[in-house]
PDB file of all heavy atoms in Angstrom:
ATOM      1  N   THR A  14      -2.915  18.763 -11.004  1.00 74.00           N
ATOM      2  CA  THR A  14      -3.218  19.851 -10.069  1.00 74.00           C
ATOM      3  C   THR A  14      -2.004  20.286  -9.260  1.00 74.00           C
ATOM      4  O   THR A  14      -2.106  21.176  -8.427  1.00 74.00           O
ATOM      5  CB  THR A  14      -4.317  19.424  -9.093  1.00 74.00           C
ATOM      6  OG1 THR A  14      -3.869  18.278  -8.350  1.00 74.00           O
ATOM      7  CG2 THR A  14      -5.597  19.071  -9.834  1.00 74.00           C
ATOM      8  N   GLU A  15      -0.846  19.649  -9.493  1.00 76.00           N
ATOM      9  CA  GLU A  15       0.384  19.975  -8.772  1.00 76.00           C
ATOM     10  C   GLU A  15       0.236  19.799  -7.261  1.00 76.00           C
ATOM     11  O   GLU A  15       0.803  20.553  -6.482  1.00 76.00           O
ATOM     12  CB  GLU A  15       0.850  21.395  -9.108  1.00 76.00           C
ATOM     13  CG  GLU A  15       1.216  21.586 -10.565  1.00 76.00           C
ATOM     14  CD  GLU A  15       2.224  20.567 -11.064  1.00 76.00           C
ATOM     15  OE1 GLU A  15       3.291  20.442 -10.460  1.00 76.00           O
ATOM     16  OE2 GLU A  15       1.928  19.895 -12.065  1.00 76.00           O
ATOM     17  N   GLN A  16      -0.550  18.827  -6.880  1.00 83.00           N
ATOM     18  CA  GLN A  16      -0.601  18.436  -5.478  1.00 83.00           C
ATOM     19  C   GLN A  16      -1.030  16.979  -5.412  1.00 83.00           C
ATOM     20  O   GLN A  16      -1.629  16.445  -6.358  1.00 83.00           O
ATOM     21  CB  GLN A  16      -1.567  19.306  -4.678  1.00 83.00           C
ATOM     22  CG  GLN A  16      -3.023  19.161  -5.046  1.00 83.00           C
ATOM     23  CD  GLN A  16      -3.901  20.100  -4.239  1.00 83.00           C
ATOM     24  OE1 GLN A  16      -3.470  21.146  -3.809  1.00 83.00           O
ATOM     25  NE2 GLN A  16      -5.150  19.705  -4.047  1.00 83.00           N
ATOM     26  N   LEU A  17      -0.695  16.329  -4.316  1.00 90.00           N
ATOM     27  CA  LEU A  17      -0.989  14.911  -4.157  1.00 90.00           C
ATOM     28  C   LEU A  17      -2.485  14.703  -3.977  1.00 90.00           C
ATOM     29  O   LEU A  17      -3.112  15.330  -3.128  1.00 90.00           O
ATOM     30  CB  LEU A  17      -0.225  14.352  -2.955  1.00 90.00           C
ATOM     31  CG  LEU A  17      -0.267  12.844  -2.757  1.00 90.00           C
ATOM     32  CD1 LEU A  17       0.534  12.142  -3.850  1.00 90.00           C
ATOM     33  CD2 LEU A  17       0.284  12.471  -1.385  1.00 90.00           C
ATOM     34  N   MET A  18      -3.054  13.810  -4.782  1.00 91.00           N
ATOM     35  CA  MET A  18      -4.461  13.466  -4.652  1.00 91.00           C
ATOM     36  C   MET A  18      -4.646  12.416  -3.549  1.00 91.00           C
ATOM     37  O   MET A  18      -3.686  11.757  -3.146  1.00 91.00           O
ATOM     38  CB  MET A  18      -4.985  12.914  -5.981  1.00 91.00           C
ATOM     39  CG  MET A  18      -4.982  13.921  -7.126  1.00 91.00           C
ATOM     40  SD  MET A  18      -6.216  15.227  -6.930  1.00 91.00           S
ATOM     41  CE  MET A  18      -5.195  16.551  -6.260  1.00 91.00           C
ATOM     42  N   PRO A  19      -5.867  12.248  -3.030  1.00 92.00           N
ATOM     43  CA  PRO A  19      -6.092  11.204  -2.031  1.00 92.00           C
ATOM     44  C   PRO A  19      -5.681   9.831  -2.560  1.00 92.00           C
ATOM     45  O   PRO A  19      -6.025   9.451  -3.681  1.00 92.00           O
ATOM     46  CB  PRO A  19      -7.601  11.283  -1.773  1.00 92.00           C
ATOM     47  CG  PRO A  19      -7.971  12.687  -2.122  1.00 92.00           C
ATOM     48  CD  PRO A  19      -7.070  13.060  -3.276  1.00 92.00           C
ATOM     49  N   LEU A  20      -4.939   9.097  -1.751  1.00 94.00           N
ATOM     50  CA  LEU A  20      -4.464   7.785  -2.177  1.00 94.00           C
ATOM     51  C   LEU A  20      -5.581   6.755  -2.100  1.00 94.00           C
ATOM     52  O   LEU A  20      -6.419   6.788  -1.199  1.00 94.00           O
ATOM     53  CB  LEU A  20      -3.299   7.326  -1.295  1.00 94.00           C
ATOM     54  CG  LEU A  20      -2.078   8.237  -1.199  1.00 94.00           C
ATOM     55  CD1 LEU A  20      -0.958   7.500  -0.477  1.00 94.00           C
ATOM     56  CD2 LEU A  20      -1.612   8.697  -2.568  1.00 94.00           C
ATOM     57  N   ARG A  21      -5.564   5.840  -3.030  1.00 92.00           N
ATOM     58  CA  ARG A  21      -6.468   4.691  -2.967  1.00 92.00           C
ATOM     59  C   ARG A  21      -5.847   3.632  -2.055  1.00 92.00           C
ATOM     60  O   ARG A  21      -4.660   3.669  -1.755  1.00 92.00           O
ATOM     61  CB  ARG A  21      -6.722   4.150  -4.371  1.00 92.00           C
ATOM     62  CG  ARG A  21      -7.323   5.229  -5.281  1.00 92.00           C
ATOM     63  CD  ARG A  21      -7.802   4.682  -6.588  1.00 92.00           C
ATOM     64  NE  ARG A  21      -8.395   5.740  -7.405  1.00 92.00           N
ATOM     65  CZ  ARG A  21      -9.006   5.547  -8.566  1.00 92.00           C
ATOM     66  NH1 ARG A  21      -9.101   4.310  -9.057  1.00 92.00           N
ATOM     67  NH2 ARG A  21      -9.515   6.552  -9.248  1.00 92.00           N
ATOM     68  N   THR A  22      -6.650   2.704  -1.665  1.00 92.00           N
ATOM     69  CA  THR A  22      -6.230   1.750  -0.621  1.00 92.00           C
ATOM     70  C   THR A  22      -5.477   0.542  -1.167  1.00 92.00           C
ATOM     71  O   THR A  22      -5.078  -0.329  -0.396  1.00 92.00           O
ATOM     72  CB  THR A  22      -7.457   1.265   0.169  1.00 92.00           C
ATOM     73  OG1 THR A  22      -8.386   0.629  -0.736  1.00 92.00           O
ATOM     74  CG2 THR A  22      -8.149   2.433   0.859  1.00 92.00           C
ATOM     75  N   GLY A  23      -5.277   0.491  -2.489  1.00 91.00           N
ATOM     76  CA  GLY A  23      -4.668  -0.700  -3.085  1.00 91.00           C
ATOM     77  C   GLY A  23      -3.301  -1.029  -2.528  1.00 91.00           C
ATOM     78  O   GLY A  23      -2.989  -2.203  -2.292  1.00 91.00           O
ATOM     79  N   ALA A  24      -2.456  -0.024  -2.297  1.00 94.00           N
ATOM     80  CA  ALA A  24      -1.098  -0.293  -1.812  1.00 94.00           C
ATOM     81  C   ALA A  24      -1.137  -0.966  -0.449  1.00 94.00           C
ATOM     82  O   ALA A  24      -0.430  -1.955  -0.206  1.00 94.00           O
ATOM     83  CB  ALA A  24      -0.309   1.009  -1.741  1.00 94.00           C
ATOM     84  N   ALA A  25      -1.956  -0.446   0.465  1.00 95.00           N
ATOM     85  CA  ALA A  25      -2.062  -1.035   1.805  1.00 95.00           C
ATOM     86  C   ALA A  25      -2.613  -2.452   1.728  1.00 95.00           C
ATOM     87  O   ALA A  25      -2.126  -3.368   2.416  1.00 95.00           O
ATOM     88  CB  ALA A  25      -2.953  -0.160   2.689  1.00 95.00           C
ATOM     89  N   ARG A  26      -3.604  -2.670   0.896  1.00 93.00           N
ATOM     90  CA  ARG A  26      -4.189  -4.011   0.774  1.00 93.00           C
ATOM     91  C   ARG A  26      -3.193  -5.000   0.193  1.00 93.00           C
ATOM     92  O   ARG A  26      -3.149  -6.173   0.591  1.00 93.00           O
ATOM     93  CB  ARG A  26      -5.442  -3.939  -0.088  1.00 93.00           C
ATOM     94  CG  ARG A  26      -6.598  -3.203   0.590  1.00 93.00           C
ATOM     95  CD  ARG A  26      -7.704  -2.865  -0.387  1.00 93.00           C
ATOM     96  NE  ARG A  26      -8.175  -4.055  -1.087  1.00 93.00           N
ATOM     97  CZ  ARG A  26      -8.657  -4.056  -2.320  1.00 93.00           C
ATOM     98  NH1 ARG A  26      -8.699  -2.926  -3.006  1.00 93.00           N
ATOM     99  NH2 ARG A  26      -9.073  -5.174  -2.872  1.00 93.00           N
ATOM    100  N   MET A  27      -2.362  -4.536  -0.741  1.00 94.00           N
ATOM    101  CA  MET A  27      -1.343  -5.421  -1.309  1.00 94.00           C
ATOM    102  C   MET A  27      -0.305  -5.818  -0.260  1.00 94.00           C
ATOM    103  O   MET A  27       0.129  -6.967  -0.204  1.00 94.00           O
ATOM    104  CB  MET A  27      -0.651  -4.733  -2.491  1.00 94.00           C
ATOM    105  CG  MET A  27      -1.515  -4.622  -3.724  1.00 94.00           C
ATOM    106  SD  MET A  27      -0.731  -3.641  -5.017  1.00 94.00           S
ATOM    107  CE  MET A  27      -2.068  -3.570  -6.214  1.00 94.00           C
ATOM    108  N   VAL A  28       0.080  -4.850   0.574  1.00 95.00           N
ATOM    109  CA  VAL A  28       1.044  -5.140   1.637  1.00 95.00           C
ATOM    110  C   VAL A  28       0.477  -6.161   2.608  1.00 95.00           C
ATOM    111  O   VAL A  28       1.122  -7.167   2.938  1.00 95.00           O
ATOM    112  CB  VAL A  28       1.434  -3.845   2.376  1.00 95.00           C
ATOM    113  CG1 VAL A  28       2.234  -4.169   3.637  1.00 95.00           C
ATOM    114  CG2 VAL A  28       2.240  -2.937   1.464  1.00 95.00           C
ATOM    115  N   PHE A  29      -0.745  -5.926   3.067  1.00 94.00           N
ATOM    116  CA  PHE A  29      -1.350  -6.847   4.029  1.00 94.00           C
ATOM    117  C   PHE A  29      -1.602  -8.214   3.392  1.00 94.00           C
ATOM    118  O   PHE A  29      -1.444  -9.259   4.048  1.00 94.00           O
ATOM    119  CB  PHE A  29      -2.662  -6.265   4.559  1.00 94.00           C
ATOM    120  CG  PHE A  29      -2.465  -5.066   5.444  1.00 94.00           C
ATOM    121  CD1 PHE A  29      -3.473  -4.112   5.578  1.00 94.00           C
ATOM    122  CD2 PHE A  29      -1.289  -4.870   6.136  1.00 94.00           C
ATOM    123  CE1 PHE A  29      -3.291  -2.998   6.389  1.00 94.00           C
ATOM    124  CE2 PHE A  29      -1.098  -3.772   6.950  1.00 94.00           C
ATOM    125  CZ  PHE A  29      -2.100  -2.833   7.071  1.00 94.00           C
ATOM    126  N   GLY A  30      -1.988  -8.230   2.121  1.00 93.00           N
ATOM    127  CA  GLY A  30      -2.201  -9.503   1.444  1.00 93.00           C
ATOM    128  C   GLY A  30      -0.922 -10.303   1.332  1.00 93.00           C
ATOM    129  O   GLY A  30      -0.934 -11.535   1.488  1.00 93.00           O
ATOM    130  N   ALA A  31       0.193  -9.613   1.072  1.00 93.00           N
ATOM    131  CA  ALA A  31       1.481 -10.301   0.986  1.00 93.00           C
ATOM    132  C   ALA A  31       1.865 -10.887   2.343  1.00 93.00           C
ATOM    133  O   ALA A  31       2.367 -12.015   2.434  1.00 93.00           O
ATOM    134  CB  ALA A  31       2.559  -9.340   0.495  1.00 93.00           C
ATOM    135  N   LEU A  32       1.645 -10.122   3.412  1.00 94.00           N
ATOM    136  CA  LEU A  32       1.955 -10.629   4.749  1.00 94.00           C
ATOM    137  C   LEU A  32       1.089 -11.830   5.087  1.00 94.00           C
ATOM    138  O   LEU A  32       1.566 -12.816   5.670  1.00 94.00           O
ATOM    139  CB  LEU A  32       1.751  -9.517   5.788  1.00 94.00           C
ATOM    140  CG  LEU A  32       2.673  -8.286   5.656  1.00 94.00           C
ATOM    141  CD1 LEU A  32       2.339  -7.250   6.723  1.00 94.00           C
ATOM    142  CD2 LEU A  32       4.139  -8.689   5.755  1.00 94.00           C
ATOM    143  N   GLU A  33      -0.190 -11.770   4.724  1.00 91.00           N
ATOM    144  CA  GLU A  33      -1.088 -12.915   4.957  1.00 91.00           C
ATOM    145  C   GLU A  33      -0.657 -14.132   4.155  1.00 91.00           C
ATOM    146  O   GLU A  33      -0.853 -15.281   4.590  1.00 91.00           O
ATOM    147  CB  GLU A  33      -2.519 -12.543   4.580  1.00 91.00           C
ATOM    148  CG  GLU A  33      -3.235 -11.654   5.583  1.00 91.00           C
ATOM    149  CD  GLU A  33      -4.694 -11.486   5.219  1.00 91.00           C
ATOM    150  OE1 GLU A  33      -4.979 -10.790   4.221  1.00 91.00           O
ATOM    151  OE2 GLU A  33      -5.561 -12.055   5.922  1.00 91.00           O
ATOM    152  N   ALA A  34      -0.053 -13.880   2.961  1.00 90.00           N
ATOM    153  CA  ALA A  34       0.364 -14.991   2.100  1.00 90.00           C
ATOM    154  C   ALA A  34       1.685 -15.611   2.540  1.00 90.00           C
ATOM    155  O   ALA A  34       2.166 -16.554   1.905  1.00 90.00           O
ATOM    156  CB  ALA A  34       0.481 -14.503   0.655  1.00 90.00           C
ATOM    157  N   GLY A  35       2.283 -15.063   3.602  1.00 90.00           N
ATOM    158  CA  GLY A  35       3.492 -15.670   4.141  1.00 90.00           C
ATOM    159  C   GLY A  35       4.757 -14.869   3.955  1.00 90.00           C
ATOM    160  O   GLY A  35       5.830 -15.301   4.402  1.00 90.00           O
ATOM    161  N   VAL A  36       4.676 -13.730   3.302  1.00 91.00           N
ATOM    162  CA  VAL A  36       5.853 -12.879   3.179  1.00 91.00           C
ATOM    163  C   VAL A  36       6.192 -12.320   4.561  1.00 91.00           C
ATOM    164  O   VAL A  36       5.314 -11.804   5.265  1.00 91.00           O
ATOM    165  CB  VAL A  36       5.606 -11.721   2.178  1.00 91.00           C
ATOM    166  CG1 VAL A  36       6.823 -10.801   2.102  1.00 91.00           C
ATOM    167  CG2 VAL A  36       5.270 -12.282   0.803  1.00 91.00           C
ATOM    168  N   GLU A  37       7.446 -12.448   4.985  1.00 86.00           N
ATOM    169  CA  GLU A  37       7.815 -12.096   6.356  1.00 86.00           C
ATOM    170  C   GLU A  37       7.606 -10.613   6.656  1.00 86.00           C
ATOM    171  O   GLU A  37       7.097 -10.241   7.698  1.00 86.00           O
ATOM    172  CB  GLU A  37       9.263 -12.499   6.633  1.00 86.00           C
ATOM    173  CG  GLU A  37       9.471 -14.006   6.686  1.00 86.00           C
ATOM    174  CD  GLU A  37      10.872 -14.363   7.140  1.00 86.00           C
ATOM    175  OE1 GLU A  37      11.648 -13.440   7.480  1.00 86.00           O
ATOM    176  OE2 GLU A  37      11.196 -15.565   7.165  1.00 86.00           O
ATOM    177  N   ASP A  38       8.029  -9.754   5.765  1.00 92.00           N
ATOM    178  CA  ASP A  38       7.863  -8.321   5.975  1.00 92.00           C
ATOM    179  C   ASP A  38       7.973  -7.638   4.624  1.00 92.00           C
ATOM    180  O   ASP A  38       8.578  -8.177   3.687  1.00 92.00           O
ATOM    181  CB  ASP A  38       8.918  -7.766   6.932  1.00 92.00           C
ATOM    182  CG  ASP A  38       8.580  -6.352   7.434  1.00 92.00           C
ATOM    183  OD1 ASP A  38       7.468  -5.880   7.131  1.00 92.00           O
ATOM    184  OD2 ASP A  38       9.416  -5.750   8.107  1.00 92.00           O
ATOM    185  N   VAL A  39       7.394  -6.459   4.508  1.00 95.00           N
ATOM    186  CA  VAL A  39       7.459  -5.670   3.282  1.00 95.00           C
ATOM    187  C   VAL A  39       7.954  -4.273   3.655  1.00 95.00           C
ATOM    188  O   VAL A  39       7.421  -3.643   4.574  1.00 95.00           O
ATOM    189  CB  VAL A  39       6.092  -5.576   2.581  1.00 95.00           C
ATOM    190  CG1 VAL A  39       6.200  -4.697   1.336  1.00 95.00           C
ATOM    191  CG2 VAL A  39       5.575  -6.964   2.213  1.00 95.00           C
ATOM    192  N   GLU A  40       8.974  -3.811   2.941  1.00 97.00           N
ATOM    193  CA  GLU A  40       9.464  -2.453   3.137  1.00 97.00           C
ATOM    194  C   GLU A  40       8.775  -1.541   2.114  1.00 97.00           C
ATOM    195  O   GLU A  40       8.849  -1.786   0.911  1.00 97.00           O
ATOM    196  CB  GLU A  40      10.977  -2.402   2.950  1.00 97.00           C
ATOM    197  CG  GLU A  40      11.586  -1.038   3.259  1.00 97.00           C
ATOM    198  CD  GLU A  40      13.092  -1.036   3.136  1.00 97.00           C
ATOM    199  OE1 GLU A  40      13.594  -1.103   1.995  1.00 97.00           O
ATOM    200  OE2 GLU A  40      13.767  -0.987   4.185  1.00 97.00           O
ATOM    201  N   ILE A  41       8.123  -0.518   2.618  1.00 97.00           N
ATOM    202  CA  ILE A  41       7.419   0.433   1.756  1.00 97.00           C
ATOM    203  C   ILE A  41       8.303   1.667   1.585  1.00 97.00           C
ATOM    204  O   ILE A  41       8.748   2.259   2.571  1.00 97.00           O
ATOM    205  CB  ILE A  41       6.057   0.828   2.354  1.00 97.00           C
ATOM    206  CG1 ILE A  41       5.249  -0.421   2.725  1.00 97.00           C
ATOM    207  CG2 ILE A  41       5.267   1.688   1.377  1.00 97.00           C
ATOM    208  CD1 ILE A  41       3.998  -0.118   3.528  1.00 97.00           C
TER     209      ILE A  41
END
């Protein structure tokens, strides 16, 4: 459609899951 579709939440959940697992910080 030549435009950005609504994002799914997987990226945010992966970031938070990594932080919970002990990763100090994640750069997006």
Side-chain angles (χ1 to χ4, degrees):
T14 60
E15 297 307 305
Q16 66 182 28
L17 188 70
M18 295 290 99
L20 303 189
R21 302 190 179 186
T22 59
R26 291 167 55 211
M27 288 173 186
V28 170
F29 291 154
L32 297 179
E33 284 187 289
V36 178
E37 291 187 4
D38 194 7
V39 178
E40 185 177 72
I41 309 170

